[in-house]
Amino acid sequence: MNARNPLNIGAAARAMSNFGFSRLRVVNPFEVAFQEARSAVGAAEYLARAEQYATVAEAVADCALVVGTTAVRHRDLRHVLKPLEEGGALIRERMQSGRRYSENVALLFGSEKFGLSNEDFSHCHWLIRIRTDDEHISMNLGQAVAVCLYEVARSDADEVKTQHQAAQHVEDGANATAEEVERITQMLFEALQLSGYVKPRTEGSTEEKVRRLIRRLSLQSKDAVAWQGMLHRMVLKLRRNAKK
Amino acid sequence: MNARNPLNIGAAARAMSNFGFSRLRVVNPFEVAFQEARSAVGAAEYLARAEQYATVAEAVADCALVVGTTAVRHRDLRHVLKPLEEGGALIRERMQSGRRYSENVALLFGSEKFGLSNEDFSHCHWLIRIRTDDEHISMNLGQAVAVCLYEVARSDADEVKTQHQAAQHVEDGANATAEEVERITQMLFEALQLSGYVKPRTEGSTEEKVRRLIRRLSLQSKDAVAWQGMLHRMVLKLRRNAKK
């Protein structure tokens, strides 16, 4: 809507490409800004396909749901205003394939300076707002677009967790076994003895302390070998020096 | 990290103000870009308070959790990589007041062109990725910052569930700060050098490996002193022997 800054149009297009949205419609842009954005390096693909409209009504004509965006909470809104977390989930649901009817959804952004007008709002079914700090409610247009599209494309945290749990397990790795942990404990304790850290009088309690310290590290199995390798080398060096 | 474009530094600062984050730390910025960003209209408040650091280690020294960001899925990562939906929830939980220990969390972004290096990654506990379209994974820096901060500041019904799970992650004590962890890393690395474990040809990658190993231990603050004491003694002994 009336975007003035070519960088912002380009930024909106870039965020769309990042989150897999493809149809950018520009309403009544400042001609110069639009042409400049179109010819920006790297913007080619998405902006070249951007459609230009003279009015909001024409731009959203084939959409079954039109959602406006606003930074303001209390501008005498006659629309239902939902936080993005909630509105984004509703949009996601409406766009989901697998529904009986696939629907076009329009997400409407205003100009950098004035946002959407009441006339623009009147084309919307409801509005969303990104919840921001009370003192700094005005977001950069390109950033606002990115945040909204991220939320619409977002998966439930639960969903993501399920998807990634298998992979995480492999990466996170199993914890080291008690046997591995104890071997590491013994190597560290020998290194400490050879270094003069362990005093004969308190040998028993020092060993316990070292054992507790190691247990608190939640060592992973895949790392246990590396730790043994490092400690082994230190112990060998300290032993050799002790013999000199 | 090495941001080149003053507009991007400004955009990051603006997104921070929108979502209520206040401490921008800039590592090794191109001086010109940084000064330009600082003097940009409207950027004053947040950028004026931005702190400048020469290294990642210094920038994250007082942070108990350091999370890196990456666009790439399979760059031979040796870190646990979480989707933003999941990682954001964990960060949120760690930052929440009302926890027994309030912790500083660092969210690390790379340069526009190259992202974070492996050396940068080695300072991180884990990484997050914004899930994007396979064909368009590279986001604009300012937009990526906005999306990440939105997610961290986000709240929803899942949160209760996620919190519960995250709580199992959190140990009974506060985690060691990055400064403590890095000091331990350096001491262990010196002990390994003196023991002949570190080969000159692979010194850099060995240091990164050691840094990653230590980060995976989830060291507690109350234990950090004990570990430093033990390593200090070993290093002293090994140094003394090396002189003989």
Side-chain angles (χ1 to χ4, degrees):
Chain A
M1 288 297 309
N2 302 311
R4 276 167 190 278
N5 185 338
L7 286 173
N8 283 334
I9 302 180
R14 182 158 176 190
M16 289 178 67
S17 76
N18 291 140
F19 294 113
F21 297 87
S22 57
R23 300 179 69 182
L24 174 59
R25 295 178 175 184
V26 187
V27 178
N28 189 27
F30 285 77
E31 199 57 39
V32 178
F34 190 49
Q35 293 316 328
E36 207 177 306
R38 277 200 164 178
S39 53
V41 179
E45 188 191 349
Y46 271 77
L47 280 173
R49 277 192 277 141
E51 301 158 31
Q52 202 172 341
Y53 293 89
T55 65
V56 173
E58 294 167 73
V60 302
D62 62 351
C63 298
L65 174 63
V66 181
V67 178
T69 54
T70 178
V72 184
R73 245 165 302 183
H74 306 294
R75 198 168 68 180
D76 187 24
L77 291 172
R78 285 155 202 160
H79 278 77
V80 173
L81 179 61
K82 301 175 195 290
L84 174 61
E85 288 89 337
E86 183 191 340
L90 290 171
I91 295 171
R92 193 158 60 234
E93 195 185 310
R94 292 285 286 269
M95 291 176 68
Q96 230 141 47
S97 60
R99 288 195 70 235
R100 197 159 148 212
Y101 305 98
S102 102
E103 294 179 332
N104 285 342
V105 177
L107 197 51
L108 210 58
F109 291 88
S111 77
E112 297 89 337
K113 203 148 189 184
F114 305 108
L116 295 169
S117 67
N118 282 329
E119 211 277 325
D120 300 333
F121 283 149
S122 71
H123 293 276
C124 300
H125 292 91
W126 37 269
L127 310 179
I128 52 176
R129 188 178 75 82
I130 300 172
R131 298 191 305 158
T132 48
D133 186 81
D134 289 342
E135 309 281 304
H136 304 93
I137 64 167
S138 167
M139 284 189 70
N140 164 277
L141 179 56
Q143 290 177 315
V145 171
V147 166
C148 287
L149 297 184
Y150 163 75
E151 180 64 50
V152 172
R154 189 180 191 278
S155 310
D156 281 343
D158 283 351
E159 211 175 298
V160 171
K161 219 167 287 159
T162 329
Q163 282 167 19
H164 281 254
Q165 233 148 26
Q168 280 298 321
H169 253 275
V170 178
E171 286 177 36
D172 259 338
N175 287 328
T177 63
E179 189 183 2
E180 290 168 319
V181 173
E182 181 57 21
R183 213 177 300 139
I184 288 169
T185 305
Q186 289 307 324
M187 293 170 98
L188 176 59
F189 188 66
E190 185 178 349
L192 290 171
Q193 280 181 311
L194 291 164
S195 305
Y197 180 88
V198 182
K199 307 287 173 235
R201 252 188 24 165
T202 53
E203 196 175 311
S205 67
T206 304
E207 186 175 353
E208 281 170 29
K209 176 184 151 188
V210 169
R211 186 171 283 120
R212 281 194 305 271
L213 277 169
I214 299 258
R215 296 314 183 270
R216 277 204 287 268
L217 294 177
S218 55
L219 261 173
Q220 291 173 33
S221 195
K222 64 166 179 179
D223 292 344
V225 176
W227 282 106
Q228 288 176 59
M230 294 191 295
L231 285 164
H232 181 63
R233 187 59 78 120
M234 287 195 263
V235 167
L236 283 185
K237 187 74 178 180
L238 288 161
R239 272 192 205 157
R240 216 170 304 150
N241 290 331
K243 278 189 198 151
K244 276 181 195 165
Chain B
M1 288 300 311
N2 301 312
R4 277 167 190 279
N5 186 338
L7 286 172
N8 283 334
I9 302 179
R14 182 157 176 191
M16 289 177 67
S17 76
N18 290 141
F19 294 112
F21 297 86
S22 58
R23 300 180 68 181
L24 175 59
R25 296 179 174 183
V26 187
V27 177
N28 190 27
F30 286 75
E31 199 56 40
V32 179
F34 189 49
Q35 293 316 327
E36 209 175 306
R38 278 201 160 175
S39 53
V41 179
E45 187 192 349
Y46 271 76
L47 281 173
R49 276 191 277 142
E51 299 157 32
Q52 201 172 342
Y53 292 88
T55 65
V56 173
E58 293 166 73
V60 303
D62 61 351
C63 298
L65 174 63
V66 181
V67 178
T69 55
T70 178
V72 184
R73 245 165 304 184
H74 305 294
R75 198 168 69 181
D76 187 25
L77 290 173
R78 281 142 203 176
H79 277 78
V80 173
L81 178 62
K82 301 176 194 288
L84 175 60
E85 289 89 337
E86 186 190 338
L90 288 172
I91 293 171
R92 192 158 63 236
E93 207 274 338
R94 291 286 287 268
M95 290 176 68
Q96 231 142 47
S97 59
R99 283 195 70 234
R100 195 157 147 216
Y101 305 96
S102 101
E103 293 181 334
N104 285 341
V105 177
L107 196 51
L108 208 59
F109 291 88
S111 76
E112 297 90 338
K113 204 150 188 181
F114 305 107
L116 295 169
S117 68
N118 281 330
E119 211 277 325
D120 300 331
F121 284 149
S122 72
H123 292 275
C124 299
H125 292 91
W126 37 269
L127 309 179
I128 52 176
R129 188 178 74 83
I130 299 172
R131 299 191 307 155
T132 49
D133 188 81
D134 288 342
E135 307 282 304
H136 303 92
I137 63 167
S138 168
M139 285 190 70
N140 163 276
L141 179 57
Q143 291 178 314
V145 171
V147 166
C148 288
L149 297 185
Y150 163 76
E151 180 65 48
V152 171
R154 189 181 190 280
S155 61
D156 68 353
D158 292 346
E159 209 180 339
V160 183
K161 224 170 290 169
T162 321
Q163 266 177 30
H164 184 69
Q165 261 151 10
Q168 295 168 350
H169 248 267
V170 179
E171 309 291 346
D172 46 332
N175 286 324
T177 65
E179 189 181 7
E180 290 168 321
V181 173
E182 181 60 18
R183 212 178 299 138
I184 289 168
T185 306
Q186 290 307 324
M187 292 170 99
L188 175 59
F189 188 67
E190 186 179 350
L192 291 171
Q193 279 181 313
L194 291 164
S195 306
Y197 180 88
V198 182
K199 307 287 174 236
R201 254 188 22 162
T202 53
E203 194 176 313
S205 67
T206 304
E207 186 177 353
E208 283 171 25
K209 177 184 151 189
V210 169
R211 189 173 282 123
R212 281 193 305 274
L213 278 169
I214 298 257
R215 291 326 180 261
R216 278 204 287 267
L217 295 178
S218 54
L219 262 174
Q220 291 174 34
S221 200
K222 63 170 176 173
D223 292 345
V225 176
W227 282 105
Q228 288 176 58
M230 294 191 293
L231 285 164
H232 182 63
R233 187 60 77 123
M234 286 194 262
V235 167
L236 282 185
K237 186 76 177 179
L238 288 162
R239 271 192 207 157
R240 217 169 303 151
N241 289 331
K243 275 189 201 150
K244 276 181 193 166

